[in-house]
Amino acid sequence: MDELNAIISNNLAYILIFVGIIIAVLIGFIISLESKLSDMRKRFRRITMGSDDDDANAHEILIKHADKINSAVDAEEKLNSEINQLKELVKKSICRVSVVRFNAFHDDTAELSYCIALLDAENSGVIISSLTGREFSRNYVKPIEKGESPNFKLTKEEEQALRDASLK
């Protein structure tokens, strides 16, 4: 025992330095752990922020949040589907219109005749023409497919209405 006391007393300064280093390292670990614990508490408060039940455990809260997320994802998918349906509908709806008025008979009836081009986004639709004279009126409808009339020859006024509507 005397030998142990001699060793300790001869190396007391080294032992104190070693113990001090160990204490400093342990204090560093404690500070690090306290910082991590504080971060975890903040995260937990953020997770439980929407909970009405103060006694709810984290597992229940996470399940509620997951259910809300799944519900939001389902709603988003439904909205995206409806948006795509609307986009397809808009492509097929009339969005380009042009009207050309003219005097079909070059007399004093003024510009009572007209043609209307009604086209979708792909320049398909119809041209409606009305030739109006003093005592009669004739109406014509010609189909348009991708900017052309495949089955009917267009008059210069109808071609003008088609050009004007296609530019819009």
Side-chain angles (χ1 to χ4, degrees), residues 77 121 166:
E77 289 174 359
S166 296

Side-chain angles (χ1 to χ4, degrees), residues 67-86:
D67 290 343
K68 287 180 181 179
I69 290 170
N70 289 336
S71 174
V73 167
D74 291 343
E76 179 191 19
E77 289 174 359
K78 183 179 177 186
L79 286 173
N80 284 336
S81 173
E82 291 176 4
I83 287 170
N84 289 334
Q85 289 174 352
L86 288 172

Side-chain angles (χ1 to χ4, degrees), residues 44 48-49 51-57 61:
F44 183 74
T48 60
M49 193 166 40
S51 175
D52 296 333
D53 186 8
D54 292 338
D55 296 331
N57 64 32
I61 292 168

Side-chain angles (χ1 to χ4, degrees), residues 77-147:
E77 289 174 359
K78 183 179 177 186
L79 286 173
N80 284 336
S81 173
E82 291 176 4
I83 287 170
N84 289 334
Q85 289 174 352
L86 288 172
K87 284 180 180 178
E88 289 301 314
L89 182 63
V90 166
K91 283 182 187 177
K92 296 175 184 176
S93 65
I94 294 171
C95 60
R96 298 175 179 176
V97 177
S98 177
V99 177
V100 174
R101 297 181 61 95
F102 59 97
N103 185 348
F105 302 106
H106 305 293
D107 56 12
D108 60 354
T109 57
E111 292 184 345
L112 298 178
S113 299
Y114 61 88
C115 53
I116 303 171
L118 304 169
L119 306 176
D120 64 12
E122 296 177 347
N123 289 333
S124 296
V126 295
I127 291 184
I128 301 171
S129 298
S130 176
L131 303 179
T132 304
R134 286 182 185 207
E135 298 178 17
F136 68 92
S137 178
R138 302 238 191 303
N139 297 301
Y140 303 94
V141 177
K142 298 178 183 177
I144 303 297
E145 293 176 15
K146 299 193 190 278

Side-chain angles (χ1 to χ4, degrees), residues 39-66 68:
D39 288 344
M40 289 179 76
R41 284 183 180 144
K42 288 177 186 174
R43 289 180 188 167
F44 183 74
R45 277 190 221 110
R46 279 186 70 199
I47 289 172
T48 60
M49 193 166 40
S51 175
D52 296 333
D53 186 8
D54 292 338
D55 296 331
N57 64 32
H59 186 310
E60 292 171 351
I61 292 168
L62 289 174
I63 288 174
K64 287 180 185 177
H65 285 306
K68 287 180 181 179

